[in-house]
């Protein structure tokens, strides 16, 4: 008889803002039992459990079909799922955080993301800022491919296509800065910025409803 595979149980209790990884189901059950909104999942590896917690401990419907093999590169995203404001995410194709390659570690939260201090910041602004950081990280790491799932940011705001009269001044200023950086990245360094299906974006914080 084959030995039973080890499992790790990740859990999150929103009401208490408490999360953890249990080695046994009984421990996880005690943590979530009777707690409204508590979420938990079993994983075969501890790092997978930690990644799920870092992405917001959200239950996600799996995309149909086999996920494509991701290209080596830098991926960016933003989300608002933890209820604390907009968070910015930049990772590699494996979901490893790369924001520290663009900004100080002091600006990152415990998940390796940046929580925007401005409560008026929108998710779209967060996506645009994430692209700015991705461009900075790509330059430092000498990476020529960047991917994001925001059509607005990838196809418009980062390509000088900005409705200045309809957007806050801060957003317009950032969009123009990112457009300049993207131009340099593509024309001088031969890089590309392309869209990826949001269901397969490794930088996704796990907050999107799919």
């Amino acid at each position: 008889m084959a030995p039973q595979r080890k499992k790790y149980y990740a859990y999150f209790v929103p009401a208490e803002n408490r999360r953890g990884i249990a080695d046994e189901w009984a421990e996880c059950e005690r943590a979530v039992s009777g707690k409204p909104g508590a979420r938990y999942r079993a994983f075969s590896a501890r790092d997978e459990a930690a990644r799920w917690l870092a992405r917001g401990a959200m239950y996600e419907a799996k995309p149909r079909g086999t996920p494509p093999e991701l290209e080596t590169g830098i991926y960016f995203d933003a989300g608002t799922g933890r209820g604390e404001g907009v968070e910015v995410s930049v990772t590699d194709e494996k979901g490893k955080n790369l924001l520290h390659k663009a900004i100080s570690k002091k600006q990152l939260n415990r998940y390796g993301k940046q929580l925007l201090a401005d409560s008026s910041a929108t998710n779209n602004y967060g996506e645009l800022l994430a692209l700015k950081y991705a461009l900075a990280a790509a330059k430092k790491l000498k990476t020529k491919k960047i991917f994001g799932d925001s059509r607005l940011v990838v196809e418009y705001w980062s390509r000088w296509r900005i409705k200045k009269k309809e957007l806050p001044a801060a957003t317009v200023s950032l969009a123009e800065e990112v457009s300049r950086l993207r131009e340099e990245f593509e024309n001088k360094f031969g890089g590309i910025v392309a869209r990826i299906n949001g269901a397969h974006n490794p930088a996704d914080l796990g907050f999107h409803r799919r």
Side-chain angles (χ1 to χ4, degrees), residues 93-208:
E93 68 280 2
K94 297 179 181 178
K96 180 180 178 181
N97 287 321
L98 294 178
L99 262 181
H100 62 282
K101 298 294 184 180
I103 59 177
S104 168
K105 290 184 179 180
K106 293 180 180 180
Q107 295 176 265
L108 307 180
N109 62 18
R110 59 177 172 168
Y111 308 109
K113 315 300 181 184
Q114 183 188 36
L115 176 64
L116 301 186
D118 185 354
S119 60
S120 66
T122 65
N123 191 72
N124 288 331
Y125 180 90
E127 295 263 9
L128 185 62
L129 185 60
L131 176 52
K132 174 185 173 180
Y133 293 152
L135 287 162
K139 186 175 182 180
K140 189 171 185 179
L141 296 170
K142 296 181 172 24
T143 300
K144 292 189 176 182
K145 293 183 179 181
I146 295 175
F147 303 93
D149 58 49
S150 170
R151 181 181 180 188
L152 178 65
V153 170
V154 173
E155 298 182 6
Y156 294 90
W157 284 6
S158 65
R159 299 180 69 183
W160 301 103
R161 299 175 181 176
I162 316 157
K163 295 182 179 180
K164 297 182 179 181
K165 294 181 180 180
E166 300 178 13
L167 295 170
T171 301
V172 173
S173 177
L174 179 61
E176 291 178 339
E177 179 186 4
V178 173
S179 294
R180 286 193 295 271
L181 292 171
R182 178 175 177 174
E183 252 184 16
E184 180 185 40
F185 177 66
E186 294 180 329
N187 299 334
K188 185 176 180 180
F189 300 107
I192 65 165
V193 177
R195 283 187 65 205
I196 185 176
N197 188 318
H200 305 308
N201 188 350
D204 177 32
L205 292 120
F207 303 151
H208 301 304

Side-chain angles (χ1 to χ4, degrees), residues 12-136:
F12 175 49
V13 184
E16 302 172 3
N17 194 27
R18 181 164 54 88
R19 66 198 72 219
I21 301 174
D23 292 325
E24 304 290 343
W25 162 243
E27 180 184 351
C28 178
E29 185 177 33
R30 288 194 296 272
V32 302
S33 181
K35 307 293 176 61
R39 303 190 289 272
Y40 56 90
R41 276 186 62 183
F43 296 87
S44 58
R46 179 174 285 274
D47 61 345
E48 291 178 357
R51 193 175 300 118
W52 181 70
L53 289 175
R55 292 188 176 189
M58 302 296 290
Y59 294 131
E60 301 171 19
K62 294 183 178 179
R64 295 180 180 179
T66 303
E69 184 175 345
L70 297 177
E71 293 187 58
T72 299
I74 294 178
Y75 294 75
F76 69 92
D77 198 13
T80 57
R82 268 185 271 270
E84 300 173 350
V86 176
E87 284 184 71
V88 173
S89 172
V90 177
T91 76
D92 65 11
E93 68 280 2
K94 297 179 181 178
K96 180 180 178 181
N97 287 321
L98 294 178
L99 262 181
H100 62 282
K101 298 294 184 180
I103 59 177
S104 168
K105 290 184 179 180
K106 293 180 180 180
Q107 295 176 265
L108 307 180
N109 62 18
R110 59 177 172 168
Y111 308 109
K113 315 300 181 184
Q114 183 188 36
L115 176 64
L116 301 186
D118 185 354
S119 60
S120 66
T122 65
N123 191 72
N124 288 331
Y125 180 90
E127 295 263 9
L128 185 62
L129 185 60
L131 176 52
K132 174 185 173 180
Y133 293 152
L135 287 162

